[in-house]
Amino acid sequence: EVQLVESGGGLVQPGRSLKLSCAASGFTFSNYYMAWVRQAPKKGLEWVATISTSGSRTYYPDSVKGRFTISRDNAKSSLYLQMNSLKSEDTATYYCARHPYGGPGGDYWGQGVMVTVSS
Amino acid sequence: NIVLTQSPATLSVTPGESVSLSCRASQSISTSIHWYQQKSNESPRLLIKYASQSISGIPSRFSGSGSGTDFTLSINRVESEDFSIYYCQQSYSSLLTFGSGTKLEIK
């Protein structure tokens, strides 16, 4: 059974940093692209980052480029999202998703982790 | 960036009715469109991939169609558990984008 479990969320002040983690199991992690998708309260889904199987290629929307960094550790079947210079508009539930290459942004999703950026 | 426009924003229907939800892309994306269902306080669930390909475990009343710029998610005879929000998402570009969603509510 595919499982994705996020952790690391919480309350953080504007301008500070936070690192999210996602532990994957039930599939060969190193064979899949992975992605982070977020959802602000009462809002729609927004793609945040994608990483290739080896980690050599990463993609971001303009809204987070230069502030967020996606990474992975295939030996630990783990995905990460380093978030720097956080803004109030980054407040959202962050989902880890398995992203088949060229396919759905997420064929499997984690339960999500809440990040609140507030002073 | 590829913009996806979903319509209508809200659709009010009676259980047992059949419905069609629309997703229009700002440029041709072949069949690189995927549909998700999100129930309140739950993670999104993949319903249809590549415009019309079914997903294991998803009821057969859900189907998808379209290519190029116009796509449709159809639900044949809506059931009570189907009232939720539906999103389309494109993977034609590596810069993924989602539509703003269609809320299916009980009339």
Side-chain angles (χ1 to χ4, degrees):
Chain A
E1 178 192 6
V2 172
Q3 284 198 321
L4 298 168
V5 180
E6 303 94 337
S7 61
L11 175 63
V12 61
Q13 293 179 330
R16 303 298 292 266
S17 299
L18 198 65
K19 187 173 184 177
L20 304 182
S21 300
C22 171
S25 61
F27 65 102
T28 304
F29 181 75
S30 59
N31 286 352
Y32 286 86
Y33 276 48
M34 297 294 293
W36 288 98
V37 176
R38 70 183 179 184
Q39 186 169 35
K42 306 294 186 184
K43 299 294 185 182
L45 300 171
E46 179 187 17
W47 165 71
V48 170
T50 296
I51 189 167
S52 63
T53 52
S54 67
S56 60
R57 290 187 296 275
T58 57
Y59 307 88
Y60 308 92
D62 288 344
S63 59
V64 307
K65 189 180 294 184
R67 298 189 300 122
F68 289 13
T69 301
I70 187 172
S71 62
R72 65 192 296 161
D73 185 335
N74 286 341
K76 294 183 178 179
S77 294
S78 292
L79 178 71
Y80 306 101
L81 184 68
Q82 176 68 47
M83 303 184 292
N84 298 332
S85 303
L86 282 162
K87 306 175 182 180
S88 57
E89 51 263 43
D90 295 319
T91 293
T93 296
Y94 285 74
Y95 296 101
C96 163
R98 193 177 80 168
H99 172 35
Y101 177 69
D107 62 350
Y108 287 91
W109 298 65
Q111 83 286 355
V113 63
M114 185 67 197
V115 173
T116 302
V117 183
S118 175
S119 54
Chain B
N1 289 355
I2 298 172
V3 176
L4 299 178
T5 302
Q6 290 189 245
S7 62
T10 303
L11 189 55
S12 300
V13 302
T14 302
E17 283 187 58
S18 295
V19 298
S20 293
L21 284 61
S22 174
C23 177
R24 178 165 291 176
S26 59
Q27 66 181 73
S28 179
I29 58 170
S30 184
T31 57
S32 297
I33 200 78
H34 318 286
W35 290 93
Y36 301 85
Q37 177 192 58
Q38 188 178 31
K39 297 181 180 181
S40 183
N41 296 320
E42 293 187 8
S43 303
R45 177 174 70 152
L46 181 65
L47 293 178
I48 298 287
K49 62 181 181 179
Y50 297 107
S52 62
Q53 294 182 17
S54 58
I55 301 296
S56 175
I58 300 300
S60 59
R61 62 182 180 275
F62 291 95
S63 64
S65 63
S67 67
T69 60
D70 291 318
F71 303 90
T72 301
L73 174 69
S74 298
I75 310 175
N76 185 32
R77 298 182 182 176
V78 173
E79 299 189 6
S80 57
E81 64 190 37
D82 300 337
F83 291 99
S84 52
I85 300 175
Y86 294 85
Y87 295 96
C88 57
Q89 173 251 318
Q90 65 79 24
S91 61
Y92 186 82
S93 165
S94 296
L95 305 182
L96 308 179
T97 49
F98 287 88
S100 56
T102 291
K103 182 179 182 181
L104 186 65
E105 65 177 26
I106 300 176
K107 181 184 285 185

